[in-house]
Amino acid sequence: MNDPVSPADALHQLLDGLPARQAGQAVDRLIANYRGAPPTDTPILRDRADVAAYAAYRMPATFEAVRSALEAFADAVPHWTPGSHVDVGGGTGAATWAVSATWPGRRPVTVLDWAEPALAVGRELAASNPALEQARWQRARIGSALTLEPTDLVTVSYVLNELPAPDRATLVDAAASAAQAVVIVEPGTPDGYGRIIEARDRLIAAGFRIAAPCPHSAACPMVPGEDWCHFSARVSRSSLHRQVKGGSLPYEDEKFGYVAAARFPVDPAPSRVVRRPQIRKGQVLLDLCEAEERLARTTVSKRQGDLYRAARDADWGDAWPPPPVS
């Protein structure tokens, strides 16, 4: 059996021959839009050149961030698999690829986005992924008029930052009304954390249980303005990706924040590593968000044997302690 195609492979085929200079110019304009006040009445991605640049610039990072969030969610719901999926504001479909990488197999998938060129490119990319061959790519305005059909899973990745506050609330409420599980991903910035907390609060108010990253559904112990909850995903960079972004390293780290919640019972991590572990001589320092609704630092020493070895292997965002080896 052939290995499943990755989004990076599909992107390489789609973007083969795209002049890096043309892509770079489009990326510069897109960055200017995103750093300013994004227009809400017209799509940011205007044509195929914009979409190709966006795909090279952002799709690999979005895929890795969403996949990381989904893997943490899947760990908290080990006996559950989504039977259907709606990706809101999905653009070229990075989140749909992440869902199929987390839960292999075919399922009804609908991608909603306002930018028709992004949907068209997403459809082309999906043709190489058997799990997405029957996906629906549907144009929809992501805002106050949005309605969603009932589904098992709704993903919303890097979308809330493009919406005014009333539309953000409407979108989260629509997702909560339609889905059994909701996963929302935002940039790993203080503002992104604020949007995640707003969404988290609305999901809890709608009766959802928080599955990840939090080990509880109580208030977040991080103090806004002093700290923010975010994580990091390692992203491999293609040659075109490096040209478009003007870098030389074969990888980059994507900072992101997320919340994953469900209407059904979940088994969240006992605690979550919320900073990069600090490895010292004979000990590892872990900063944890704990089920007791607090932040704490724990020191794991070499004398603790297997637990110490696990701590040395622990990564930012991991559950702690690791599950026992069966």
Side-chain angles (χ1 to χ4, degrees), residues 65-230:
V66 177
R67 183 170 66 169
S68 181
L70 291 173
E71 286 177 347
F73 178 52
D75 287 343
V77 292
H79 304 298
W80 182 82
T81 297
S84 55
H85 171 213
V86 174
D87 186 24
V88 179
T92 55
T96 66
W97 285 79
V99 168
S100 65
T102 306
W103 295 284
R106 299 171 185 263
R107 60 185 57 85
V109 176
T110 301
V111 182
L112 304 176
D113 201 278
W114 179 234
E116 179 59 40
L119 294 170
V121 169
R123 190 180 298 112
E124 285 185 57
L125 290 169
S128 61
N129 185 344
L132 300 176
E133 285 178 346
Q134 302 302 315
R136 293 192 304 156
W137 301 80
Q138 183 177 326
R139 191 166 191 246
R141 188 180 294 276
I142 312 301
S144 59
L146 179 69
T147 58
L148 299 176
E149 297 178 359
T151 185
D152 282 352
L153 173 65
V154 167
T155 54
V156 184
S157 53
Y158 297 89
V159 173
L160 298 184
N161 61 311
E162 298 180 16
L163 300 176
D167 286 354
R168 293 199 297 267
T170 298
L171 171 52
V172 174
D173 290 347
S177 296
Q180 293 299 304
V182 177
V183 177
I184 299 174
V185 179
E186 281 288 294
T189 62
D191 286 345
Y193 166 71
R195 291 186 291 270
I196 288 293
I197 288 299
E198 291 173 2
R200 183 182 185 274
D201 290 345
R202 298 193 78 87
L203 291 171
I204 292 171
F208 279 69
R209 301 173 177 91
I210 303 302
C214 321
H216 56 78
S217 295
C220 176
M222 291 193 178
V223 179
E226 296 181 8
D227 205 350
W228 70 99
C229 184
H230 65 295

Side-chain angles (χ1 to χ4, degrees), residues 2-50:
N2 293 331
D3 292 334
V5 66
S6 71
D9 294 334
L11 273 170
H12 179 75
Q13 296 171 17
L14 178 74
L15 302 176
D16 187 31
L18 176 69
R21 180 178 180 182
Q22 177 185 351
Q25 290 172 343
V27 163
D28 289 343
R29 186 183 60 76
L30 293 174
I31 291 174
N33 269 336
Y34 278 111
R35 288 179 177 170
T40 58
D41 55 343
T42 58
I44 293 175
L45 302 177
R46 302 174 304 181
D47 53 31
R48 185 180 175 83
D50 278 359

Side-chain angles (χ1 to χ4, degrees), residues 221 272 274 286-290 292 294-299:
R272 180 80 57 187
V274 293
L286 298 176
D287 290 302
L288 304 173
C289 180
E290 299 186 326
E292 292 78 12
R294 66 185 183 185
L295 300 173
R297 172 171 287 184
T298 187
T299 301

Side-chain angles (χ1 to χ4, degrees), residues 284 286 300 305-315 318 320-322:
V284 180
L286 298 176
V300 184
D306 289 345
L307 195 64
Y308 171 73
R309 286 185 284 275
R312 286 186 61 88
D313 291 337
D315 201 0
D318 285 354
W320 184 262

